[in-house]
Amino acid sequence: MKARVLSGVQPSGNLHIGNYLGALKNWVRIQHDYESIFCIVDLHAITVYQKPEELRAKILEIAALFIASGIDPKHSALVVQSMVHGHAELSWLLTCVTPVGWLERMTQYKAKTQAIETIGDGLLQYPVLMAADILLYQAAIVPVGEDQSQHLELTRDIAQRFNSLYGATFVMPATNLPAVGARIMGLDEPEKKMSKSAAGAGHAVALLDPPEVIRKKIMRATTDSQPGVDFETMGAGVENLLAIFQAFSGWSDDQMKPHFTGMRYGDLKKQVAEMVVSQLEPLQARYREITADPAYLAGVLREGAERVTPIADSTVRLVKERMGLYTP
Ligand code: TYM
């Protein structure tokens, strides 16, 4: 039996090239080597308020973007998290073995709650639900961007704690980061991670941005005051543009260095923009085809949930038995 891969994306905000290079592109690359499950984690999205109609539309948009990026729904299960009850159920069972201190230490929790007065309990529980997503399917490999590493360490800690309290139950999931593109930075602020929720119009390139918008955003990206590319002394903005180019093109370091050394920033940006446009145009064309047939997408999501529900149910049952709940 093939080992299992699981990962997920929140249906909040617009998917951007950081999500694509850090996660989706890697999923597409490894999907056929494993039994693969890719989730649209709507229960995570509602840890902050979402307008209901927008959320519903976003879930379908993300599902279509998974397929447009190259996820093969005949092989990989595409799952809307809330359609499979085991996610929420296992999350509660794991909550009961998770010390609050572990959750309060999470950097994303601290960052997200900094500006809020009333902090929803869901934000604190968020990483437990994520652990449940992974452990529910006994996933061995979790391909993500670097910002999820801490959540994955916590997942292993929760799994270990459960195993030591109740006996060996969970597989320890390994974090799988892409070699290039694990942390794409904001175009306008290259010290900050590119994020779906950042406000600036020039911050992120969305996967569905039209070519002229992509070009404009990249041409305006923050660089530094050097005359051209110097791999030894470059600032974060130039490094980020080169990472975007390398991750999209698949070029090796040996190809990158001679090609870009000494290049003026205007020319660098033009080449990055054309690389991004040429890679996203076919993805956008596939997206338009997929969304033209809503029944197809609904079928893929129904079938995905049906395929994984037996796995989820058997894990929940095992966990309940181990914990001593009544399981006739
Ligand atoms: P989310 O929705 O924030 O991001 C989806 C994926 O994109 C990656 N990513 C990035 N990679 C590189 N550079 C960036 N700037 C960048 N921004 C985001 C993320 O690392 C992620 O892989 N908690 C998760 C969703 C989740 C999940 C899971 C993931 C829920 N359950 C189980 C894996 C397994 C999240 O909010 O991702």
Side-chain angles (χ1 to χ4, degrees):
M1 205 179 77
K2 283 184 181 171
R4 221 167 260 148
V5 155
L6 178 131
S7 199
V9 169
Q10 286 194 77
S12 54
N14 293 325
L15 274 206
H16 52 66
I17 57 173
N19 301 124
Y20 179 73
L21 298 174
L24 284 151
K25 193 167 191 280
N26 206 17
W27 303 358
V28 171
R29 191 174 61 82
I30 65 174
Q31 63 179 332
H32 288 285
D33 299 333
Y34 300 95
E35 185 187 331
S36 301
I37 304 172
F38 299 113
C39 300
I40 298 131
V41 292
D42 52 352
L43 297 174
H44 278 105
I46 55 170
T47 55
V48 295
Y49 176 78
Q50 307 287 333
K51 288 197 183 117
E53 282 318 312
E54 283 177 18
L55 177 60
R56 230 186 313 276
K58 219 34 160 186
I59 291 166
L60 295 173
E61 180 186 306
I62 305 284
L65 280 171
F66 281 10
I67 302 170
S69 299
I71 298 296
D72 171 7
K74 289 204 183 73
H75 173 79
S76 305
L78 269 70
V79 175
V80 177
Q81 186 187 30
S82 66
M83 287 174 74
V84 180
H85 303 292
H87 290 260
E89 196 170 2
L90 183 60
S91 181
W92 173 254
L93 299 170
L94 296 178
T95 291
C96 297
V97 302
T98 306
V100 176
W102 291 4
L103 301 176
E104 286 169 340
R105 273 205 295 278
M106 292 290 108
T107 45
Q108 288 207 354
Y109 171 73
K110 287 196 257 181
K112 278 186 194 166
T113 53
Q114 228 166 24
I116 318 182
E117 244 173 59
T118 311
I119 299 164
D121 187 22
L123 279 178
L124 185 65
Q125 301 300 323
Y126 181 109
V128 184
L129 178 59
M130 179 162 159
D133 297 339
I134 297 164
L135 301 177
L136 188 62
Y137 303 108
Q138 305 281 13
I141 314 272
V142 185
V144 285
E146 195 190 83
D147 63 332
Q148 297 302 316
S149 294
Q150 196 189 29
H151 285 156
L152 280 160
E153 277 163 36
L154 181 86
T155 300
R156 287 188 287 270
D157 288 343
I158 293 174
Q160 234 143 28
R161 190 171 157 84
F162 189 96
N163 286 354
S164 70
L165 285 171
Y166 296 108
T169 305
F170 291 120
V171 168
M172 283 307 136
T175 308
N176 178 306
L177 300 180
V180 185
R183 188 174 180 83
I184 298 296
M185 312 307 281
L187 294 175
D188 56 347
E189 284 178 301
E191 304 74 33
K192 288 197 181 147
K193 179 191 74 164
M194 185 177 282
S195 114
K196 287 184 221 136
S197 50
H203 175 79
V205 171
L207 294 185
L208 295 175
D209 275 347
E212 57 287 5
V213 175
I214 297 175
R215 290 193 181 97
K216 204 182 283 169
K217 285 179 176 174
I218 292 176
M219 294 311 290
R220 284 195 192 143
T222 303
T223 48
D224 52 54
S225 55
Q226 296 191 44
V229 177
D230 178 337
F231 279 80
E232 306 307 319
T233 58
M234 64 191 168
V238 173
E239 193 178 350
N240 191 41
L241 289 170
L242 288 167
I244 292 170
F245 185 96
Q246 188 171 15
F248 269 112
S249 65
W251 283 20
S252 66
D253 291 347
D254 289 346
Q255 287 170 291
M256 292 291 292
K257 275 208 172 162
H259 183 81
F260 286 108
T261 296
M263 190 181 283
R264 297 165 74 90
Y265 292 159
D267 293 332
L268 164 69
K269 287 175 173 178
K270 268 188 213 144
Q271 295 208 5
V272 174
E274 290 321 308
M275 175 54 66
V276 176
V277 167
S278 72
Q279 297 281 313
L280 292 188
E281 268 181 337
L283 184 155
Q284 294 178 357
R286 285 195 296 274
Y287 175 82
R288 285 190 290 272
E289 277 171 32
I290 295 157
T291 47
D293 185 358
Y296 165 72
L297 203 51
V300 165
L301 296 175
R302 197 176 337 103
E303 198 266 329
E306 278 167 10
R307 212 184 321 162
V308 302
T309 293
I311 312 170
D313 286 351
S314 83
T315 305
V316 168
R317 187 177 172 87
L318 175 66
V319 171
K320 284 170 139 181
E321 275 169 10
R322 290 275 152 89
M323 294 181 93
L325 299 178
Y326 183 56
T327 46

